[in-house]
Amino acid sequence: MSDRLSLLLESLHCRGRLYELFSQIEKEFEALYTENIALKDKIETLNEQLEREPAIIERADTFDSGEPSVVKTKGKRESMTASQLSQKIKSTYKLKASTSRIVSTFKAPSLACRLFKEYLGHRDGVWEVSCSRHGPSLIATASADHTAKIWDIHSGGCIVQYWGHKGSVNSVRFHPSQDLVVSSSGDQTAHVWSVTSAGGAADNLKYHSSEEEVELSEEDHGEEGESSHNISILKNAKIELQGHIGVVIAADWLAGGEQVITASWDRTANVYDVQTGELVTQLVGHDQELTNTCTHPTQRLVVTSSKDTTFRLWDFRDAIHSVSVFQGHTNPVTSATFASGDKVVSGSDDRTVKVWDLKNMRSPLTTIRLDSPVNRLAVSNQNIIAIPHDNRHVRLFDLNGVRLARLPRSNRQGHRRMVCSVAWSEDGRNLFSCGFDRLVFGWRVTIPTKDDTKLNVTKAGKE
């Protein structure tokens, strides 16, 4: 009984303490409310004082009557007619508008982008698209459906299908001067094979009507997959490059085309001799899986990007190669590629693209901040950066970080899922994109010339 009584007394004491605390809180709220009311009163008083200050323009309805309108300023009085004041206001607005038009012409000219071709036929996501560097106008695509395809840019038809890999094909790049390509795969190898039946590949080619390809693609794309020419099926490589113990995520040709570099999830990059297929050099240094590799078009320079948030520049111009590490991203670097003027452009999952000077790698020249992770980007000969995103968009910037355009995207055109890669044609007029939606698009990009910009400035000045 005594225990119950003590518990009851303790609960009553706690209840009383709670009431006391709530009373204190209520008093504090009342004090804050009173203080808030006082502040509002002060604000209203200040507003009234501002309204009574000089520099008041009489009501505008006096303009219509034609009577003089008095403009009051501190210690000065200026009288003018309503029509004069109205004319002065109109002149000011006209001058402002004209100035805005002239200033706008000095901004980077926007690009006109339109879809001109679709390349249909892959049965799984397309990881990469690349353009031929010489000869016919061709593009190559690498897909998770274990195939790589060569396409005619203008007709949109598939010319060659390569079935030599046993895993996802992660990249495909054209030889700088010969009808060869190198492809990399999840089967831990890279293959060198011929774009045409020349060069000893004739025995491995089988020709058939495109009807079979139509049957494969019509499930997803209907009659759009139809093509009017034969497709070459290639099943064996000229050279198979082995040596990695992980997925080969990318491969590219060194300048001159005599060697190939591969980047792998085993954290290494290998350099191979194309003629013999032998391993020449193994590049070690990245702390995590590699995500991509790109080569300089004319010099023996290579960049490798990695999930370790860095990319590395490997210099093979001397007998003993050197390496430079570029740090600046906070998430995996998805790609790094060369631009003219000794520059490198890198993209990352941290939603930034950075432009670097090879002569000063401590800090980037430009940082472009975006709203979505960046995949395999490309830089045109005109130094326009095409940036593919996880959010299905492709944006175009210049090396100074000025946004130039965004590729059109709607229900009828554009990618429906992540855009994995982009590639520019050699002349910089065509841009190609591919994505996880199995789609490959060709875009026509119109770049205003300097004469067009001067013409716009002249027109703005006359207006």
Side-chain angles (χ1 to χ4, degrees):
M1 186 69 180
S2 59
D3 293 337
R4 290 183 180 179
L5 182 61
S6 61
L7 289 173
L8 180 62
L9 292 174
E10 185 177 354
S11 63
L12 290 174
H13 175 73
C14 291
R15 183 177 296 178
R17 180 60 178 164
L18 286 174
Y19 279 132
E20 183 181 353
L21 292 173
F22 278 121
S23 298
Q24 291 178 3
I25 292 172
E26 187 176 359
K27 289 179 181 179
E28 289 181 4
F29 271 118
E30 289 178 354
L32 289 172
Y33 179 76
T34 303
E35 184 179 356
N36 191 26
I37 293 295
L39 289 173
K40 286 184 177 180
D41 292 337
K42 288 183 179 180
I43 291 173
E44 291 178 358
T45 302
L46 290 172
N47 286 335
E48 291 176 358
Q49 290 178 357
L50 289 173
E51 290 176 358
R52 290 194 297 267
E53 283 281 83
I56 301 174
I57 299 179
E58 295 279 330
R59 291 181 58 185
D61 55 359
T62 59
F63 292 171
D64 298 332
S65 63
E67 297 177 358
S69 175
V70 179
V71 180
K72 299 180 180 180
T73 60
K74 291 182 179 179
K76 295 182 180 180
R77 301 175 68 91
E78 181 178 347
S79 178
M80 65 176 66
T81 63
S83 59
Q84 290 174 337
L85 183 59
S86 177
Q87 186 66 29
K88 188 173 183 179
I89 292 173
K90 288 180 180 179
S91 300
T92 302
Y93 276 111
K94 187 175 180 181
L95 178 61
K96 183 178 180 181
S98 177
T99 304
S100 298
R101 284 195 299 270
I102 295 174
V103 171
S104 65
T105 60
F106 291 98
K107 298 180 180 178
S110 59
L111 306 180
C113 308
R114 65 177 179 86
L115 179 67
F116 76 88
K117 190 64 66 176
E118 298 182 28
Y119 307 89
L120 306 175
H122 279 296
R123 292 182 289 168
D124 208 335
V126 185
W127 295 123
E128 186 172 88
V129 58
S130 63
C131 293
S132 60
R133 306 186 194 181
H134 76 286
S137 299
L138 303 175
I139 61 170
T141 53
S143 173
D145 64 9
H146 296 195
T147 70
K149 295 176 183 286
I150 307 296
W151 309 80
D152 181 272
I153 288 179
H154 304 294
S155 69
C158 178
I159 299 173
V160 178
Q161 291 186 62
Y162 182 68
W163 287 88
H165 285 293
K166 298 178 182 178
S168 169
V169 185
N170 301 319
S171 76
V172 57
R173 315 275 172 90
F174 285 92
H175 190 280
S177 60
Q178 301 179 30
D179 293 330
L180 298 173
V181 294
V182 60
S183 55
S184 65
S185 173
D187 62 12
Q188 303 182 3
T189 68
H191 292 181
V192 176
W193 42 280
S194 177
V195 174
T196 65
S197 59
D203 295 338
N204 298 323
L205 290 173
K206 294 183 179 179
Y207 298 92
H208 65 90
S209 170
S210 61
E211 293 176 359
E212 179 180 343
E213 178 65 18
V214 175
E215 291 177 1
L216 295 176
S217 61
E218 280 184 348
E219 297 179 6
D220 302 308
H221 308 295
E223 297 179 356
E224 292 179 351
E226 189 173 353
S227 178
S228 59
H229 58 267
N230 294 336
I231 300 173
S232 303
I233 304 298
L234 180 60
K235 294 186 177 181
N236 295 314
K238 291 173 65 66
I239 295 290
E240 186 172 327
L241 307 176
Q242 299 178 343
H244 286 291
I245 58 174
V247 169
V248 182
I249 197 66
D252 204 355
W253 303 87
L254 271 74
E258 298 176 355
Q259 293 179 332
V260 162
I261 182 168
T262 57
S264 172
W265 284 4
D266 63 13
R267 306 183 183 184
T268 67
N270 289 348
V271 178
Y272 295 90
D273 183 280
V274 176
Q275 295 297 324
T276 63
E278 295 180 356
L279 176 63
V280 177
T281 306
Q282 187 172 63
L283 308 179
V284 181
H286 282 292
D287 296 329
Q288 295 186 37
E289 296 94 330
L290 275 65
T291 57
N292 197 15
T293 182
C294 287
T295 60
H296 194 281
T298 59
Q299 303 182 53
R300 291 178 58 81
L301 297 172
V302 173
V303 285
T304 55
S305 52
S306 171
K307 291 183 179 180
D308 63 12
T309 73
T310 72
F311 70 92
R312 292 178 176 238
L313 171 69
W314 309 85
D315 190 343
F316 295 97
R317 290 175 294 186
D318 297 327
I320 301 176
H321 71 266
S322 61
V323 59
S324 302
V325 182
F326 288 74
Q327 298 176 327
H329 290 287
T330 57
N331 279 316
V333 180
T334 53
S335 67
T337 188
F338 292 95
S340 64
D342 291 332
K343 292 182 176 61
V344 172
V345 181
S346 61
S348 170
D349 281 341
D350 64 10
R351 303 183 181 184
T352 66
V353 169
K354 296 178 183 289
V355 181
W356 307 77
D357 188 343
L358 296 182
K359 300 175 183 177
N360 180 16
M361 62 182 184
R362 293 183 179 180
S363 60
L365 300 174
T366 305
T367 297
I368 303 172
R369 304 190 183 280
L370 303 154
D371 60 356
S372 179
V374 177
N375 297 312
R376 291 185 178 177
L377 53 78
V379 183
S380 73
N381 293 333
Q382 287 78 24
N383 287 327
I384 299 174
I385 310 170
I387 306 172
H389 291 286
D390 280 1
N391 64 2
R392 303 173 291 172
H393 288 296
V394 177
R395 294 182 172 90
L396 307 182
F397 286 79
D398 66 13
L399 293 181
N400 295 319
V402 177
R403 179 173 169 174
L404 302 177
R406 184 181 68 183
L407 295 189
R409 202 190 72 78
S410 63
N411 294 331
R412 295 185 177 182
Q413 64 178 6
H415 288 283
R416 303 164 192 169
R417 299 182 69 179
M418 174 179 69
V419 187
C420 302
S421 171
V422 290
W424 289 97
S425 61
E426 283 295 297
D427 59 7
R429 295 178 56 191
N430 298 327
L431 176 66
F432 302 90
S433 62
C434 65
F436 204 62
D437 52 10
R438 313 180 187 182
L439 301 176
V440 181
F441 293 127
W443 307 88
R444 192 86 69 201
V445 180
T446 304
I447 306 173
T449 63
K450 293 182 179 180
D451 293 337
D452 295 335
T453 305
K454 291 179 180 180
L455 182 61
N456 292 335
V457 172
T458 303
K459 289 182 178 180
K462 289 182 179 179
E463 293 175 357

